Amino acid sequence: VGSDQKASKILNSIISDCIASRTTYNWEEFKLTFEKVHPEFYNKILKEHPNLSPNEKKICAFLKLGLNSKDISSITNQSNRTIVIARSRLRKKLELNKEDSLVNYILSY
């Protein structure tokens, strides 16, 4: 549990730094730290949804961490509209109804 907490703090630090300073993030570093905190996340979601693109997997990871579209756009240096569209396409790919929460769905993994 100690290393998970340490990884979680590192992950939060990376996110905070990216949002505050608008520095570009290193996806590989982020992914490695994310996988330490949530080791089974990608295996579980890809088991049910094997056709997720790399970008969709990134969006899922950010949502799993509780980030909103504005935060994701700050971290990835993409417009908020781009993130909203990506989330909409992700909802369709995951076959969610309009009344289903994308965030709650992702959090269930």
Side-chain angles (χ1 to χ4, degrees):
V1 174
S3 66
D4 284 354
Q5 287 178 332
K6 186 177 179 183
S8 185
K9 286 181 181 180
I10 292 169
L11 197 53
N12 288 333
S13 175
I14 292 169
I15 292 167
S16 297
D17 289 349
C18 288
I19 291 171
S21 64
R22 292 195 171 268
T23 56
T24 56
Y25 72 110
N26 177 328
W27 173 250
E28 290 306 316
E29 177 187 359
F30 179 92
K31 183 179 174 201
L32 288 172
T33 308
F34 177 83
E35 288 174 342
K36 285 181 186 173
V37 177
H38 302 285
E40 291 299 312
F41 177 73
Y42 286 123
N43 290 338
K44 288 179 183 177
I45 199 162
L46 291 174
K47 190 173 186 179
E48 286 190 47
H49 306 286
N51 297 328
L52 291 178
S53 71
N55 192 52
E56 290 165 336
K57 289 190 277 189
K58 289 178 188 178
I59 298 289
C60 288
F62 290 132
L63 294 176
K64 177 75 172 174
L65 296 172
L67 299 178
N68 61 33
S69 295
K70 182 181 175 191
D71 292 339
I72 297 169
S73 70
S74 293
I75 292 170
T76 60
N77 289 318
Q78 295 176 307
S79 73
N80 191 55
R81 176 114 176 97
T82 299
I83 302 303
V84 169
I85 291 169
R87 286 178 63 149
S88 175
R89 289 182 180 146
L90 180 59
R91 288 178 61 78
K92 287 180 184 174
K93 197 173 228 182
L94 299 176
E95 299 177 349
L96 297 178
N97 297 317
K98 289 189 186 244
E99 60 274 0
D100 295 329
S101 166
L102 174 61
V103 173
N104 287 341
Y105 185 79
I106 298 300
L107 291 176
S108 72
Y109 284 95

